[in-house]
Amino acid sequence: MKKKISSLLISVVLATLLIPGAAFAENVETQAESVGVQYKTHIQDKGWETEWKADGALSGTVGEWKRLEAIKVELTGDVPENANIETWVHVQNEGDLGPFVMGEAAGTEGKGLRLERITFVLNNLPGYTLRYNVQVQNKGWLMDEEDTTSWFVGGQSAGTEGEGLRLEGIKMVITKDADLTDYQEALDSVSETNYTTESWAVYQAVVEANVVTAQNTQEEVYQATINILKAQKSLVTMSDLTAYEAALAAVTQEQVKEGWTAYQAVVTANVVTAQNTQLEVDTATANILAAQKNLVYYSDMTAFNEAITLYVALGADSNYTPYTTESWDAYGAKCEEYGSLVDGVWDYDVISKDNSQSVVDAAVANINTLLAVLEDAADLSTFLASRDIEQGSYTTVSYEAYQADARVVAVAEIPTETLKGYSQGVVDAYTATLLALQNEILVMGADLTNYNEALAAVDKDDYTQISWTTYQDVVAANQVNGDNTQTQVDAATARIIAAQKLLIFSAQYVVDHAGMTGSEFGQLTVGDNILTIANEFIEAADIDSDDYTVTFTRVDAGSTVINEETGEITSVGDLGTTVYFTITPIDGSDSANTINIGLTIA
């Protein structure tokens, strides 16, 4: 068990194993209540009661139809400092009053006003619960008189609201809450993950039959705890799968050269779970380990990959490494004896896992010999990136000026081998010089993002040749680059976008995108216009139908009548017809026909 149950309770449990449950119950002592409550009320026609009432005794009257007008309450016994009861009351005509402190009259005197509702709050007395019950005009006791656990508890309002009914009597008690420490520790001491499903289900049935709260008696809590602890003794611990799982994880298919299929058959025949017995688990583990001995493995390339990692990461050019050219080239050449570095990826074209382990290990030893003697030198990576800057978004004028600047030329022409011999601090100073000169000389050109996006937004194949030619004239007249001002670029972009709005989609594009099929036309009737509907399909495809002339051709010889010029259906006839539509751009470009479309007309 994960937690230690108190020694007292364990002793009790051991005792219960030797004596009957009834005898145990008789020997459990009820802890004496050390704090109590006393109370008295001011009663209609009688005034204040002469004696305090306590321990659930009636204060007020029953059957005399007398209203309670005020109440006083106090704690008694070994009362801790700051422990107190606050009282709120709802009084006829005066509403909610309070809080009233202990000993203070809550309500009214001499006004003849009834108490209708009352609330008590017990403060600073943990482990105790204040309970109370009230007798209400026409309703009687609101809670079971005999069952104090059903009574109102501190903070709850007892009485009525908006009914004008008087309180006639009250009973109050303070009960010590049951200590649930051992009960909760017993529940927390076991976890489902540690036990078999079957035994856990039996245990849970016991737990569910022994649910208690602080409102139960201490005897009930003790008995529930004992029952749960007894049930835990019958739990069956799940088997330890550590060795079994380690055996399975020790070998993967990628490691095995020969024998994997036979090995998997053994694994499949030895599947176990924590619900199996430990003997079954141990036997399965032994079978799997025995089968692994029959496997033929590939060579372990871990050490080889570690040996070439630096070379793969930094590449063949020593200028981009923090090592001398001579030592790096020697290390790289040795790596390349056992494979190839292609575009930053190692190609195992010489040494691979198919080689024997001894061959791989020899290669590792040879590479590591040179890896160990790499000589530190200045790292030129940042310098070279600064030196080899491309024009990119800079203006042509400023870029050419930068390339011709004598200070730039002086730094850029220092041989890399010479730089390798300098300290890193000197190289970094040269890098800083280049960056400063770039900041001084280079000028960012106009942002061409929107311009380029506008050009890429349209595709020649989607438009008529005539409208595309006109559009290209606008594009040609608005060629800009980074050397233009941003105002010029933005203006050119705006003119190109405006010209795009005048482009006309090709007839075939319309046919392909308008979605004109018989099912889309739906059921038609007299008065419908098929040309109007066809144009609506074009508009729905976000194509301007005003750029096209749409006509139709009858394919069938049926009796349905459609006006050839307007497209209006004037007679149902054979309840249907077949047509195709011809789309003709208004700029005179080639037309295109739809497929034959069967129209349903009713």
Side-chain angles (χ1 to χ4, degrees):
M1 294 182 184
K2 297 179 180 178
K3 294 186 178 179
K4 182 178 180 183
I5 310 300
S6 71
S7 58
L8 173 61
L9 182 56
I10 291 175
S11 298
V12 172
V13 174
L14 292 174
T16 61
L17 299 177
L18 302 175
I19 62 176
F24 165 75
E26 292 174 1
N27 285 277
V28 175
E29 296 183 0
T30 303
Q31 182 172 352
E33 304 288 349
S34 59
V35 179
V37 62
Q38 62 181 14
Y39 44 98
K40 63 169 61 175
T41 55
H42 188 280
I43 303 169
Q44 174 187 354
D45 299 334
K46 295 187 178 187
W48 285 104
E49 293 174 309
T50 57
E51 296 181 356
W52 291 93
K53 305 298 175 65
D55 300 325
L58 171 65
S59 177
T61 63
V62 175
E64 298 184 34
W65 303 283
K66 303 288 186 181
R67 64 179 172 268
L68 298 185
E69 298 178 352
I71 186 171
K72 296 178 182 179
V73 295
E74 292 182 353
L75 289 173
T76 62
D78 187 11
V79 181
E81 185 178 359
N82 297 327
N84 63 84
I85 298 174
E86 293 180 306
T87 306
W88 283 260
V89 293
H90 186 87
V91 177
Q92 172 188 1
N93 298 335
E94 297 196 5
D96 293 328
L97 303 177
F100 298 91
V101 300
M102 285 198 307
E104 183 181 5
T108 62
E109 296 180 52
K111 295 185 179 182
L113 301 177
R114 64 179 174 268
L115 296 181
E116 297 181 355
R117 189 171 67 251
I118 193 164
T119 304
F120 300 102
V121 174
L122 179 62
N123 298 312
N124 304 316
L125 195 59
Y128 289 84
T129 298
L130 177 63
R131 300 176 181 278
Y132 42 97
N133 198 0
V134 292
Q135 165 84 15
V136 177
Q137 173 189 355
N138 299 337
K139 293 179 180 285
W141 291 104
L142 295 187
M143 300 297 179
D144 186 346
E145 280 190 85
E146 305 302 324
D147 182 10
T148 58
T149 62
S150 71
W151 290 9
F152 297 97
V153 298
Q156 292 182 335
S157 178
T160 61
E161 181 175 0
E163 298 184 45
L165 300 178
R166 63 181 173 265
L167 298 185
E168 297 178 345
I170 188 167
K171 295 181 179 182
M172 301 180 70
V173 294
I174 282 187
T175 58
K176 185 170 177 56
D177 297 340
D179 183 356
L180 299 179
T181 303
D182 292 336
Y183 172 78
Q184 193 59 52
E185 287 183 356
L187 292 176
D188 294 343
S189 66
V190 294
S191 171
E192 181 179 3
T193 57
N194 297 324
Y195 301 99
T196 63
T197 302
E198 183 178 355
S199 68
W200 186 260
V202 174
Y203 169 67
Q204 281 300 296
V206 176
V207 171
E208 291 171 6
N210 287 273
V211 174
V212 290
T213 70
Q215 310 309 318
N216 286 84
T217 66
Q218 195 64 54
E219 293 89 337
E220 291 170 336
V221 173
Y222 280 147
Q223 188 58 58
T225 306
I226 291 166
N227 293 341
I228 289 170
L229 289 172
K230 286 181 179 179
Q232 288 175 358
K233 294 180 181 294
S234 299
L235 285 170
V236 178
T237 304
M238 286 198 294
S239 296
D240 183 358
L241 297 179
T242 304
Y244 173 78
E245 292 173 346
L248 291 176
V251 179
T252 63
Q253 186 172 4
E254 290 71 22
Q255 298 173 277
V256 178
K257 190 173 185 178
E258 297 176 10
W260 181 257
T261 301
Y263 170 67
Q264 281 298 294
V266 175
V267 170
T268 301
N270 286 274
V271 173
V272 291
T273 70
Q275 305 295 326
N276 287 86
T277 66
Q278 192 63 53
L279 177 60
E280 291 171 335
V281 172
D282 293 343
T283 300
T285 304
N287 293 339
I288 290 170
L289 290 173
Q292 289 176 357
K293 294 180 180 179
N294 297 322
L295 293 171
V296 177
Y297 294 93
Y298 288 112
S299 292
D300 183 356
M301 299 294 289
T302 304
F304 179 84
N305 291 332
E306 290 176 353
I308 66 172
T309 292
L310 191 62
Y311 183 64
V312 173
L314 300 182
D317 191 343
S318 63
N319 290 328
Y320 291 89
T321 75
Y323 304 104
T324 63
T325 299
E326 182 179 359
S327 66
W328 183 259
D329 288 349
Y331 165 64
K334 185 57 67 176
C335 290
E336 293 277 355
E337 286 184 19
Y338 304 108
S340 305
L341 183 60
V342 181
D343 297 329
V345 179
W346 187 259
D347 184 0
Y348 296 89
D349 54 355
V350 179
I351 292 291
S352 70
K353 64 182 182 180
D354 287 318
N355 291 91
S356 67
Q357 192 65 53
S358 60
V359 170
V360 173
D361 292 344
V364 171
N366 292 337
I367 294 172
N368 281 340
T369 297
L370 293 173
L371 179 62
V373 296
L374 285 174
E375 297 179 23
D376 293 337
D379 184 352
L380 305 186
S381 301
T382 305
F383 172 82
L384 295 175
S386 301
R387 186 194 68 180
D388 300 334
I389 185 174
E390 296 181 355
Q391 179 175 349
S393 299
Y394 299 112
T395 64
T396 302
V397 172
S398 69
Y399 184 74
E400 291 175 350
Y402 171 76
Q403 292 291 331
D405 188 272
R407 296 166 295 175
V408 174
V409 172
V411 174
E413 290 184 350
I414 299 175
T416 55
E417 192 59 37
T418 301
L419 289 169
K420 273 285 186 180
Y422 293 152
S423 69
Q424 190 65 51
V426 171
V427 173
D428 291 345
Y430 280 126
T431 303
T433 297
L434 289 178
L435 293 174
L437 291 171
Q438 290 168 9
N439 189 56
E440 173 189 333
I441 301 171
L442 293 174
V443 177
M444 291 297 295
D447 184 355
L448 300 178
T449 303
N450 293 337
Y451 174 79
N452 289 328
E453 287 180 354
L455 291 176
V458 292
D459 186 341
K460 176 182 178 181
D461 293 339
D462 294 339
Y463 301 96
T464 65
Q465 182 60 48
I466 293 173
S467 68
W468 184 260
T469 299
T470 302
Y471 167 67
Q472 284 300 300
D473 290 341
V474 175
V475 171
N478 287 276
Q479 295 286 333
V480 291
N481 56 45
D483 290 332
N484 288 88
T485 66
Q486 192 63 52
T487 299
Q488 292 171 330
V489 171
D490 293 343
T493 303
R495 286 190 286 270
I496 288 171
I497 292 174
Q500 289 174 355
K501 295 179 180 179
L502 301 177
L503 283 169
I504 298 176
F505 287 109
S506 68
Q508 190 58 53
Y509 180 94
V510 176
V511 169
D512 293 341
H513 291 80
M516 284 185 273
T517 65
S519 60
E520 292 296 330
F521 271 83
Q523 182 171 295
L524 304 176
T525 189
V526 172
D528 288 336
N529 191 305
I530 63 173
L531 291 179
T532 299
I533 296 173
N535 279 294
E536 289 173 352
F537 281 125
I538 294 173
E539 291 288 344
D542 201 22
I543 302 171
D544 189 352
S545 62
D546 290 339
D547 289 338
Y548 308 91
T549 298
V550 181
T551 58
F552 73 94
T553 302
R554 291 281 294 271
V555 176
D556 67 300
S559 59
T560 298
V561 180
I562 304 176
N563 188 297
E564 294 181 359
E565 294 184 2
T566 66
E568 181 180 356
I569 301 171
T570 58
S571 175
V572 172
D574 294 333
L575 303 180
T577 188
T578 300
V579 303
Y580 65 82
F581 292 93
T582 299
I583 313 298
T584 305
I586 59 174
D587 66 359
S589 297
D590 293 339
S591 61
N593 297 328
T594 67
I595 61 173
N596 290 343
I597 301 172
L599 302 178
T600 301
I601 303 173

